[in-house]
Amino acid sequence: MKIGRIKIHQVGETYGIISPDGKRIITKLDFQEQTGVPIPQTIKEFIVRGWIDEVKKYLADINFSDKINSIDLLAPIPDPSKIICLAFNYYDHARDSGLTPSDEPVIFIKPRTTLNHPFNDIVCPYFVQRLDYEAELAVIIGKNTKNIEPKNASECIFGYTILHDVSARDIQFKDKQFTRGKSIDTFAPCGPWITTKDEINNPQNLQIVTKVNGEIRQNSSSSKMVISIEKIISSLSKVMTLEAGDIISTGTPAGVAMSMKEPKYLKNGDVVEITIENLGTIRNRITFA
Ligand code: MG
């Protein structure tokens, strides 16, 4: 199932269920009208209260009444308790950066104020010189989890989405750590929706493609991840409680601008498009402010 947050004129922010082909959507209100089932007010409540199995019973019979391109899609979760991001978790990216990948997750946390919608502008402050893209497969946590073993880790996954870990390299290198350069408002476009885990046969084998103004920059696969999703979740859960709605972004593959001989950093007006197999596409324009 695909579930996304949306904004509708005169209704405001709500959510809906997207058709299997990704072309149509049924809003929460229309779903309730068609089925008589009072689903929760927000996606986060939908996740926390475990509504997925109940709703799936109706999917074959409902009429997805709106076209997806007539609706504004929003970042699927507006208020996660945390967005945890992995650094250097792809063999090809670590190699290009001249680093040996760690055997444990190296992480930083993006504040939720970085979250941006799947098709809105990334607004970059004027003082950033080296703006870079990072396409990432993100996991949405489905229930509160502490000290889980890798073999059981998939139990706490709700689904998957795309996260663009936009990065100001000049700040990152000046600070010698990640937080400030990756914490600028709008620097985490996310979406276009969440695809629940039952639709993704093998999350460790999804193609990941980034295009800048139509030119392919990253073309890799989540099969090149160093620490698997199950091991990431297990390892993190032994440090901190993972909460329903949390986002874990699993790192980026090779092809980012900073690894190029002559880095093609992002400029005003550039359009970055990220596609992950079976998860959809997000597309954001760069605006320097
Ligand atoms: Mg990253």
Side-chain angles (χ1 to χ4, degrees), residues 53-216:
D53 289 333
E54 178 66 16
V55 165
K56 272 164 64 180
K57 292 179 199 163
Y58 297 90
L59 289 185
D61 299 317
I62 52 175
N63 168 28
F64 292 91
S65 33
D66 294 293
K67 286 183 181 164
I68 196 86
N69 55 15
S70 68
I71 277 187
D72 287 332
L73 284 155
L74 306 175
I77 308 236
D79 54 350
S81 81
K82 47 199 171 292
I83 305 167
I84 309 165
C85 300
L86 274 85
F88 307 116
N89 195 36
Y90 274 77
Y91 288 108
D92 51 0
H93 177 59
R95 182 198 62 216
D96 286 358
S97 308
L99 293 161
T100 307
S102 171
D103 57 350
E104 292 188 273
V106 175
I107 60 166
F108 56 91
I109 290 185
K110 276 172 108 93
R112 65 187 182 205
T113 40
T114 57
L115 278 173
N116 192 0
H117 308 308
F119 301 102
N120 284 33
D121 286 4
I122 295 161
V123 182
C124 183
Y126 67 92
F127 52 80
V128 171
Q129 310 283 329
R130 297 180 185 176
L131 185 68
D132 209 344
Y133 47 85
E134 292 191 358
E136 306 200 1
L137 168 62
V139 178
I140 307 293
I141 296 296
K143 61 180 182 187
N144 294 5
T145 300
K146 180 74 180 169
N147 291 329
I148 198 161
E149 291 307 316
K151 66 177 182 346
N152 300 323
S154 66
E155 287 171 17
C156 75
I157 297 174
F158 177 76
Y160 303 93
T161 191
I162 301 169
L163 189 133
H164 182 176
D165 177 21
V166 185
S167 304
R169 301 293 186 206
D170 42 340
I171 297 177
Q172 180 184 324
F173 294 137
K174 184 178 184 192
D175 290 2
K176 298 189 176 61
Q177 53 106 311
F178 297 105
T179 304
R180 188 168 66 114
K182 289 173 177 272
S183 291
I184 296 167
D185 288 356
T186 74
F187 272 30
C190 190
W193 45 67
I194 302 168
T195 302
T196 54
K197 66 178 170 190
D198 55 301
E199 282 198 10
I200 304 298
N201 265 340
N202 182 5
Q204 302 293 168
N205 191 25
L206 300 175
Q207 190 186 24
I208 300 173
V209 176
T210 304
K211 292 179 185 173
V212 178
N213 304 328
E215 178 188 74
I216 293 177

Side-chain angles (χ1 to χ4, degrees), residues 16-27:
I17 294 157
I18 293 101
S19 62
D21 66 3
K23 290 182 177 165
R24 302 188 72 84
I25 185 167
I26 180 169
T27 63

